[in-house]
Amino acid sequence: MNLHQNLLGEPPATRLPDHPEAREALAASDDPTPVAGRFPDFSAAWAALAENALAAGEPVTAYAYARTGYHRGLDQLRRAGWKGHGPIPWEHEPNRGFLRALHALSVASERIGDAEEAERCATFLRDSSAEAADALKA
């Protein structure tokens, strides 16, 4: 008998609904800006904007974009039944926008000197999806 076993189990994995029109618009565009404007609840567009800003050396701008994608994703997670913890699988494509925004928020926070927020976001990412944390740390 394992005395340390959690008898309540893990919460079920949360899988966000697909947004094909937004996903296809982002895939077809070189610039995520109009996609974020047209689909403001699509975290992947905000994550792409944040990643572009980080690559351009604009961490404050990246922070703003990533924070937007993160909060829009949290709203969707809650609507999908997420209770504030539990797995958010990387392998489920619609989850990737939120997870990428969370990673970008961690990186941008670190670059602007907010180490506490950077670590909180990095821990949240690892706790939500170890696969995402590994895939995005490159």
Side-chain angles (χ1 to χ4, degrees):
M1 178 175 181
N2 182 355
L3 297 178
H4 299 288
Q5 179 181 2
N6 180 352
L7 298 177
L8 298 176
E10 279 283 319
T14 303
R15 288 176 172 74
L16 293 174
D18 193 13
H19 198 326
E21 188 178 2
R23 182 174 33 83
E24 291 166 9
L26 186 59
S29 179
D30 291 334
D31 180 5
T33 304
V35 180
R38 185 170 168 211
F39 305 102
D41 65 341
F42 188 53
S43 290
W46 295 106
L49 286 166
E51 292 160 353
N52 290 349
L54 285 169
E58 300 171 359
V60 173
T61 301
Y63 181 93
Y65 287 141
R67 175 75 57 195
T68 301
Y70 165 79
H71 279 288
R72 296 310 295 255
L74 284 177
D75 292 343
Q76 292 174 17
L77 285 166
R78 290 180 186 116
R79 283 193 302 270
W82 186 73
K83 303 292 186 213
H85 67 286
I88 304 168
W90 173 252
E91 63 271 8
H92 182 66
E93 183 70 32
N95 290 352
R96 289 187 179 192
F98 168 76
L99 295 166
R100 287 173 44 221
L102 179 57
H103 175 260
L105 184 57
S106 177
V107 173
S109 295
E110 182 178 340
R111 291 189 187 169
I112 65 172
D114 189 350
E116 186 177 321
E117 179 70 352
E119 182 54 35
R120 183 190 72 78
C121 292
T123 299
F124 184 11
L125 180 63
R126 277 191 307 273
D127 290 348
S128 298
S129 173
E131 295 82 8
D134 290 343
L136 295 169
K137 73 176 160 185

